[in-house]
Amino acid sequence: MTAAGMEPGTMHRQRRFAFCALSLACGLLILLLVAGYIGGLRINTTPSEPLGLWRIAQITRSIRPGEMVFVCPPDNAAMREARRRGYLRSGLCPGRFGPLIKMVVAVAGQRVDVTDRVAIDGVPVLRSRIMEKDAKGRSLRHDRGGVVRAGEVYLHSDFIGSWDSRYFGPVPDSGVLGLAQEVLTYAP
């Protein structure tokens, strides 16, 4: 016996067992994350929509107003500035943006009017007030409105601080990854 009261080699075996158990647990966690990602699972950590686990469901038809979607924002100056300001997270979309979860409120051919609020074909969109400044007091540019062109969608979130089409205008519908379905979420 050693001074610590252990048989020789016991500590070595315990360390090896702990290392193997930890390696196996890490491997399983990575496998679970990869399988979830491939299966369309995503975690939302932004307040624009409920926090938690979401699923990207394949869509094989035209997108309709009222549908919640995952969408890759376009790689343009407005989005790069939004990321610099902290409105967007990094991710795997073009331009290294994370996908957004937003409600489609207008599609090609619909008229969007932007004043102090948004209206679609003359019908006001609830909770669409336009903010002049962000939470840090920085000026916000807002969309001017107009008719949504073919191949574009207009996005909205009920969250007052949401970065959506109120500020950046319509986005290409080719960036839509699929329908956004809540799996296990929490709305604080």
mmCIF file with all atom_site columns, all heavy atoms in Angstrom, residues 65-78:
data_model
loop_
_atom_site.group_PDB
_atom_site.id
_atom_site.type_symbol
_atom_site.label_atom_id
_atom_site.label_alt_id
_atom_site.label_comp_id
_atom_site.label_asym_id
_atom_site.label_entity_id
_atom_site.label_seq_id
_atom_site.pdbx_PDB_ins_code
_atom_site.Cartn_x
_atom_site.Cartn_y
_atom_site.Cartn_z
_atom_site.occupancy
_atom_site.B_iso_or_equiv
_atom_site.pdbx_formal_charge
_atom_site.auth_seq_id
_atom_site.auth_comp_id
_atom_site.auth_asym_id
_atom_site.auth_atom_id
_atom_site.pdbx_PDB_model_num
ATOM 1  N N   . PRO A 1 65 ? -47.976 34.179 -46.465 1.00 0.00 ? 65 PRO A N   1
ATOM 2  C CA  . PRO A 1 65 ? -48.026 35.080 -45.306 1.00 0.00 ? 65 PRO A CA  1
ATOM 3  C C   . PRO A 1 65 ? -48.594 34.342 -44.090 1.00 0.00 ? 65 PRO A C   1
ATOM 4  O O   . PRO A 1 65 ? -49.473 33.494 -44.223 1.00 0.00 ? 65 PRO A O   1
ATOM 5  C CB  . PRO A 1 65 ? -48.974 36.196 -45.758 1.00 0.00 ? 65 PRO A CB  1
ATOM 6  C CG  . PRO A 1 65 ? -48.881 36.182 -47.253 1.00 0.00 ? 65 PRO A CG  1
ATOM 7  C CD  . PRO A 1 65 ? -48.684 34.726 -47.613 1.00 0.00 ? 65 PRO A CD  1
ATOM 8  N N   . GLY A 1 66 ? -48.050 34.650 -42.929 1.00 0.00 ? 66 GLY A N   1
ATOM 9  C CA  . GLY A 1 66 ? -48.490 34.007 -41.697 1.00 0.00 ? 66 GLY A CA  1
ATOM 10 C C   . GLY A 1 66 ? -47.648 32.813 -41.300 1.00 0.00 ? 66 GLY A C   1
ATOM 11 O O   . GLY A 1 66 ? -47.831 32.260 -40.224 1.00 0.00 ? 66 GLY A O   1
ATOM 12 N N   . GLU A 1 67 ? -46.708 32.412 -42.162 1.00 0.00 ? 67 GLU A N   1
ATOM 13 C CA  . GLU A 1 67 ? -45.860 31.269 -41.831 1.00 0.00 ? 67 GLU A CA  1
ATOM 14 C C   . GLU A 1 67 ? -44.574 31.735 -41.159 1.00 0.00 ? 67 GLU A C   1
ATOM 15 O O   . GLU A 1 67 ? -43.966 32.723 -41.574 1.00 0.00 ? 67 GLU A O   1
ATOM 16 C CB  . GLU A 1 67 ? -45.536 30.455 -43.086 1.00 0.00 ? 67 GLU A CB  1
ATOM 17 C CG  . GLU A 1 67 ? -46.773 29.773 -43.647 1.00 0.00 ? 67 GLU A CG  1
ATOM 18 C CD  . GLU A 1 67 ? -46.505 28.903 -44.842 1.00 0.00 ? 67 GLU A CD  1
ATOM 19 O OE1 . GLU A 1 67 ? -45.755 29.331 -45.751 1.00 0.00 ? 67 GLU A OE1 1
ATOM 20 O OE2 . GLU A 1 67 ? -47.049 27.785 -44.863 1.00 0.00 ? 67 GLU A OE2 1
ATOM 21 N N   . MET A 1 68 ? -44.185 30.999 -40.123 1.00 0.00 ? 68 MET A N   1
ATOM 22 C CA  . MET A 1 68 ? -42.929 31.254 -39.421 1.00 0.00 ? 68 MET A CA  1
ATOM 23 C C   . MET A 1 68 ? -41.845 30.481 -40.153 1.00 0.00 ? 68 MET A C   1
ATOM 24 O O   . MET A 1 68 ? -42.009 29.287 -40.425 1.00 0.00 ? 68 MET A O   1
ATOM 25 C CB  . MET A 1 68 ? -43.042 30.776 -37.977 1.00 0.00 ? 68 MET A CB  1
ATOM 26 C CG  . MET A 1 68 ? -41.885 31.158 -37.111 1.00 0.00 ? 68 MET A CG  1
ATOM 27 S SD  . MET A 1 68 ? -41.909 32.871 -36.614 1.00 0.00 ? 68 MET A SD  1
ATOM 28 C CE  . MET A 1 68 ? -43.296 32.882 -35.497 1.00 0.00 ? 68 MET A CE  1
ATOM 29 N N   . VAL A 1 69 ? -40.733 31.167 -40.480 1.00 0.00 ? 69 VAL A N   1
ATOM 30 C CA  . VAL A 1 69 ? -39.671 30.531 -41.260 1.00 0.00 ? 69 VAL A CA  1
ATOM 31 C C   . VAL A 1 69 ? -38.301 30.767 -40.639 1.00 0.00 ? 69 VAL A C   1
ATOM 32 O O   . VAL A 1 69 ? -38.097 31.714 -39.887 1.00 0.00 ? 69 VAL A O   1
ATOM 33 C CB  . VAL A 1 69 ? -39.651 31.043 -42.725 1.00 0.00 ? 69 VAL A CB  1
ATOM 34 C CG1 . VAL A 1 69 ? -40.923 30.677 -43.459 1.00 0.00 ? 69 VAL A CG1 1
ATOM 35 C CG2 . VAL A 1 69 ? -39.388 32.541 -42.794 1.00 0.00 ? 69 VAL A CG2 1
ATOM 36 N N   . PHE A 1 70 ? -37.378 29.875 -40.974 1.00 0.00 ? 70 PHE A N   1
ATOM 37 C CA  . PHE A 1 70 ? -35.951 30.095 -40.768 1.00 0.00 ? 70 PHE A CA  1
ATOM 38 C C   . PHE A 1 70 ? -35.451 30.678 -42.079 1.00 0.00 ? 70 PHE A C   1
ATOM 39 O O   . PHE A 1 70 ? -35.750 30.148 -43.149 1.00 0.00 ? 70 PHE A O   1
ATOM 40 C CB  . PHE A 1 70 ? -35.210 28.774 -40.519 1.00 0.00 ? 70 PHE A CB  1
ATOM 41 C CG  . PHE A 1 70 ? -35.162 28.342 -39.092 1.00 0.00 ? 70 PHE A CG  1
ATOM 42 C CD1 . PHE A 1 70 ? -36.123 27.492 -38.579 1.00 0.00 ? 70 PHE A CD1 1
ATOM 43 C CD2 . PHE A 1 70 ? -34.136 28.777 -38.261 1.00 0.00 ? 70 PHE A CD2 1
ATOM 44 C CE1 . PHE A 1 70 ? -36.065 27.073 -37.264 1.00 0.00 ? 70 PHE A CE1 1
ATOM 45 C CE2 . PHE A 1 70 ? -34.072 28.359 -36.947 1.00 0.00 ? 70 PHE A CE2 1
ATOM 46 C CZ  . PHE A 1 70 ? -35.040 27.513 -36.442 1.00 0.00 ? 70 PHE A CZ  1
ATOM 47 N N   . VAL A 1 71 ? -34.687 31.753 -42.010 1.00 0.00 ? 71 VAL A N   1
ATOM 48 C CA  . VAL A 1 71 ? -34.194 32.385 -43.229 1.00 0.00 ? 71 VAL A CA  1
ATOM 49 C C   . VAL A 1 71 ? -32.770 32.880 -43.028 1.00 0.00 ? 71 VAL A C   1
ATOM 50 O O   . VAL A 1 71 ? -32.431 33.416 -41.973 1.00 0.00 ? 71 VAL A O   1
ATOM 51 C CB  . VAL A 1 71 ? -35.128 33.536 -43.682 1.00 0.00 ? 71 VAL A CB  1
ATOM 52 C CG1 . VAL A 1 71 ? -35.233 34.612 -42.625 1.00 0.00 ? 71 VAL A CG1 1
ATOM 53 C CG2 . VAL A 1 71 ? -34.712 34.130 -45.008 1.00 0.00 ? 71 VAL A CG2 1
ATOM 54 N N   . CYS A 1 72 ? -31.945 32.647 -44.042 1.00 0.00 ? 72 CYS A N   1
ATOM 55 C CA  . CYS A 1 72 ? -30.594 33.217 -44.045 1.00 0.00 ? 72 CYS A CA  1
ATOM 56 C C   . CYS A 1 72 ? -30.697 34.640 -44.564 1.00 0.00 ? 72 CYS A C   1
ATOM 57 O O   . CYS A 1 72 ? -31.216 34.864 -45.661 1.00 0.00 ? 72 CYS A O   1
ATOM 58 C CB  . CYS A 1 72 ? -29.671 32.412 -44.965 1.00 0.00 ? 72 CYS A CB  1
ATOM 59 S SG  . CYS A 1 72 ? -29.092 30.881 -44.242 1.00 0.00 ? 72 CYS A SG  1
ATOM 60 N N   . PRO A 1 73 ? -30.213 35.609 -43.781 1.00 0.00 ? 73 PRO A N   1
ATOM 61 C CA  . PRO A 1 73 ? -30.249 36.978 -44.282 1.00 0.00 ? 73 PRO A CA  1
ATOM 62 C C   . PRO A 1 73 ? -29.265 37.154 -45.432 1.00 0.00 ? 73 PRO A C   1
ATOM 63 O O   . PRO A 1 73 ? -28.262 36.437 -45.506 1.00 0.00 ? 73 PRO A O   1
ATOM 64 C CB  . PRO A 1 73 ? -29.839 37.815 -43.067 1.00 0.00 ? 73 PRO A CB  1
ATOM 65 C CG  . PRO A 1 73 ? -29.121 36.889 -42.163 1.00 0.00 ? 73 PRO A CG  1
ATOM 66 C CD  . PRO A 1 73 ? -29.624 35.509 -42.450 1.00 0.00 ? 73 PRO A CD  1
ATOM 67 N N   . PRO A 1 74 ? -29.549 38.085 -46.341 1.00 0.00 ? 74 PRO A N   1
ATOM 68 C CA  . PRO A 1 74 ? -28.607 38.301 -47.445 1.00 0.00 ? 74 PRO A CA  1
ATOM 69 C C   . PRO A 1 74 ? -27.295 38.893 -46.932 1.00 0.00 ? 74 PRO A C   1
ATOM 70 O O   . PRO A 1 74 ? -27.277 39.585 -45.914 1.00 0.00 ? 74 PRO A O   1
ATOM 71 C CB  . PRO A 1 74 ? -29.347 39.297 -48.347 1.00 0.00 ? 74 PRO A CB  1
ATOM 72 C CG  . PRO A 1 74 ? -30.334 39.975 -47.456 1.00 0.00 ? 74 PRO A CG  1
ATOM 73 C CD  . PRO A 1 74 ? -30.701 38.981 -46.397 1.00 0.00 ? 74 PRO A CD  1
ATOM 74 N N   . ASP A 1 75 ? -26.229 38.599 -47.629 1.00 0.00 ? 75 ASP A N   1
ATOM 75 C CA  . ASP A 1 75 ? -24.923 39.144 -47.273 1.00 0.00 ? 75 ASP A CA  1
ATOM 76 C C   . ASP A 1 75 ? -24.795 40.517 -47.928 1.00 0.00 ? 75 ASP A C   1
ATOM 77 O O   . ASP A 1 75 ? -24.366 40.631 -49.070 1.00 0.00 ? 75 ASP A O   1
ATOM 78 C CB  . ASP A 1 75 ? -23.815 38.203 -47.739 1.00 0.00 ? 75 ASP A CB  1
ATOM 79 C CG  . ASP A 1 75 ? -22.427 38.668 -47.309 1.00 0.00 ? 75 ASP A CG  1
ATOM 80 O OD1 . ASP A 1 75 ? -22.329 39.634 -46.526 1.00 0.00 ? 75 ASP A OD1 1
ATOM 81 O OD2 . ASP A 1 75 ? -21.446 38.061 -47.768 1.00 0.00 ? 75 ASP A OD2 1
ATOM 82 N N   . ASN A 1 76 ? -25.226 41.552 -47.203 1.00 0.00 ? 76 ASN A N   1
ATOM 83 C CA  . ASN A 1 76 ? -25.136 42.907 -47.737 1.00 0.00 ? 76 ASN A CA  1
ATOM 84 C C   . ASN A 1 76 ? -24.667 43.864 -46.634 1.00 0.00 ? 76 ASN A C   1
ATOM 85 O O   . ASN A 1 76 ? -24.470 43.454 -45.484 1.00 0.00 ? 76 ASN A O   1
ATOM 86 C CB  . ASN A 1 76 ? -26.473 43.350 -48.348 1.00 0.00 ? 76 ASN A CB  1
ATOM 87 C CG  . ASN A 1 76 ? -27.618 43.339 -47.353 1.00 0.00 ? 76 ASN A CG  1
ATOM 88 O OD1 . ASN A 1 76 ? -27.431 43.548 -46.152 1.00 0.00 ? 76 ASN A OD1 1
ATOM 89 N ND2 . ASN A 1 76 ? -28.817 43.106 -47.844 1.00 0.00 ? 76 ASN A ND2 1
ATOM 90 N N   . ALA A 1 77 ? -24.492 45.123 -46.990 1.00 0.00 ? 77 ALA A N   1
ATOM 91 C CA  . ALA A 1 77 ? -23.959 46.117 -46.045 1.00 0.00 ? 77 ALA A CA  1
ATOM 92 C C   . ALA A 1 77 ? -24.853 46.271 -44.818 1.00 0.00 ? 77 ALA A C   1
ATOM 93 O O   . ALA A 1 77 ? -24.353 46.398 -43.694 1.00 0.00 ? 77 ALA A O   1
ATOM 94 C CB  . ALA A 1 77 ? -23.773 47.460 -46.746 1.00 0.00 ? 77 ALA A CB  1
ATOM 95 N N   . ALA A 1 78 ? -26.171 46.267 -45.006 1.00 0.00 ? 78 ALA A N   1
ATOM 96 C CA  . ALA A 1 78 ? -27.089 46.430 -43.871 1.00 0.00 ? 78 ALA A CA  1
ATOM 97 C C   . ALA A 1 78 ? -26.940 45.284 -42.875 1.00 0.00 ? 78 ALA A C   1
ATOM 98 O O   . ALA A 1 78 ? -26.937 45.507 -41.655 1.00 0.00 ? 78 ALA A O   1
ATOM 99 C CB  . ALA A 1 78 ? -28.534 46.521 -44.361 1.00 0.00 ? 78 ALA A CB  1
#
